[in-house]
C-alpha cells in the first residue's frame, strides 16, 4: 500500500503520519508548503512521482468564522482542492479518502444525522465542504467521504487545548450548553481512515461513499468542558477546576452559525468496516500530551 497524505501538519494529518509510519506503510506526507492542493499541476506531479494507491486528504480550510468573510479561499481549498485531488486520484487508479464535517447539516433536526440525510449548511465553511463532497462524488468513483465532528487531539488548536489554557488563566468560564455532538479524537479518525485504506488495499468488497465517524456518548459543549476539567484535576494538569456557567448560543454570538445538533450516526461505519465510535473519554486520560 502506498499512501499519499495531504494536510500532513493538521490535527488529523499528524496522527495519520504517525500511525502510518508505525505500521511501516509506504507514506508520502505533504503539508501546505509542500503541496498546494489548489494547483492541479502540482497534484499531478506528485501523483506521477509517488504513484499512490490510496490518497488521504486531510487538508482543509477550517477557520469557521473567518470563512464568512474569506469565502473565496475557503471554496478554493475545500471545493476546488478536493476536486483536483479526486480527479488526479481517479487518473492514477487510487482511492480517495476525504475528511468532511457535521457543518454540512443545519443542525435543526432532532436525533442523529444519517449519511442519507439532506445537507443544509448554514455558513460558508459548511457550504464549501459540501461543495467538496459533491465534486469528489463527480470526479472519483472510488471515494470514501468521512464526516466527523468536534475534533480534538494533541496537535493544532482545538476545544480541549483552549479549555486547558483558559483553566489556568481564569477561575470562571461561560460555556455554551445548547449545542450537542460527539467529540472525536483525531487519533481515532486517523485509525479509522487507515483501517478503511487497508480494507480497500486488500481488495475487500468495499462500499464506497459517505460515512459518519464521531465520538460517543453525545454531550453539550458544557458537558464536554466539565469532563475535560474533571480529567485535568484528576491528572494534576490543573490545580483546580474553574467554575462553569451554562449559557445559550445567543449569549455567545459568532460570525458563523454553529449547528445546534451535530450528532452523527455511526452505525454505517460499524456495519461496513467494524469501526467503533471514537472513545473521547479515553482520549482525555492523557491530557498532559495536550499541554505543549
Amino acid at each position: 500500500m502506498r499512501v499519499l497524505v495531504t494536510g500532513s501538519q493538521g490535527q488529523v494529518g499528524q496522527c495519520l503520519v504517525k500511525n502510518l509510519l508505525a505500521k511501516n506503510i509506504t507514506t508520502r506526507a505533504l503539508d501546505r508548503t509542500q503541496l498546494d492542493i489548489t494547483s492541479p499541476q502540482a497534484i499531478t506531479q506528485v501523483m506521477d512521482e509517488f504513484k499512490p494507491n490510496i490518497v488521504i486528504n486531510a487538508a482543509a480550510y477550517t477557520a469557521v468564522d473567518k470563512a464568512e468573510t474569506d469565502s473565496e479561499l475557503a471554496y478554493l481549498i475545500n471545493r476546488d482542492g478536493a476536486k483536483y485531488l479526486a480527479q488526479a486520484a481517479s487518473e492514477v487508479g487510487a482511492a480517495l479518502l476525504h475528511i468532511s464535517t457535521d457543518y454540512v447539516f443545519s443542525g435543526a433536526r432532532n436525533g442523529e444525522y444519517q449519511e442519507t440525510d439532506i445537507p443544509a449548511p448554514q455558513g460558508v465553511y459548511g457550504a464549501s465542504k459540501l461543495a467538496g463532497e459533491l465534486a469528489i462524488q463527480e470526479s472519483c468513483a472510488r471515494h470514501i467521504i468521512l464526516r466527523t465532528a468536534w475534533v480534538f487531539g494533541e496537535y493544532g488548536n482545538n476545544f480541549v487545548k483552549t479549555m486547558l489554557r483558559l483553566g489556568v488563566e481564569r477561575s470562571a468560564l461561560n460555556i455554551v450548553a445548547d449545542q450537542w455532538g460527539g467529540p472525536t479524537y483525531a487519533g481515532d479518525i486517523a485509525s479509522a481512515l487507515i483501517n478503511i485504506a487497508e480494507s480497500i488495499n486488500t481488495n475487500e468488497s468495499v462500499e464506497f461513499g459517505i460515512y459518519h465517524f464521531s465520538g460517543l456518548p453525545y454531550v453539550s459543549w458544557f458537558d464536554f468542558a466539565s469532563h475535560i476539567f474533571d480529567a485535568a484535576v484528576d491528572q494534576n494538569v490543573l490545580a483546580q477546576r474553574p467554575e462553569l456557567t451554562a449559557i445559550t448560543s445567543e449569549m455567545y454570538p459568532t460570525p458563523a452559525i454553529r449547528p445546534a445538533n451535530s450528532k452523527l450516526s455511526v452505525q454505517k461505519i460499524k456495519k461496513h468496516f467494524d469501526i467503533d465510535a471514537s472513545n473521547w473519554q479515553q482520549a482525555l486520560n492523557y491530557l498532559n500530551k495536550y499541554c505543549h
Side-chain angles (χ1 to χ4, degrees), residues 156-269:
N157 297 314
N158 54 67
F159 185 77
V160 174
K161 285 188 171 185
T162 299
M163 289 300 103
L164 293 176
R165 175 174 54 79
L166 292 176
V168 172
E169 297 172 0
R170 303 183 194 174
S171 60
L173 294 169
N174 296 330
I175 309 289
V176 170
D178 59 357
Q179 295 171 21
W180 288 75
T184 314
Y185 175 51
D188 290 339
I189 299 172
S191 296
L193 287 165
I194 293 168
N195 285 348
I196 292 169
E198 289 175 326
S199 293
I200 294 168
N201 191 57
T202 53
N203 294 316
E204 286 183 30
S205 178
V206 169
E207 183 176 314
F208 290 98
I210 297 172
Y211 289 83
H212 289 170
F213 179 76
S214 73
L216 290 175
Y218 305 118
V219 284
S220 69
W221 287 115
F222 178 85
D223 297 330
F224 189 29
S226 296
H227 280 280
I228 293 164
F229 289 124
D230 285 344
V233 171
D234 287 346
Q235 296 167 44
N236 297 315
V237 172
L238 288 177
Q240 62 184 45
R241 57 174 286 159
E243 184 181 329
L244 303 183
T245 301
I247 62 170
T248 65
S249 300
E250 286 182 350
M251 295 164 72
Y252 187 76
T254 54
I257 299 168
R258 266 67 178 168
N261 174 17
S262 291
K263 298 174 185 175
L264 300 177
S265 169
V266 290
Q267 292 174 344
K268 183 181 174 185
I269 197 167

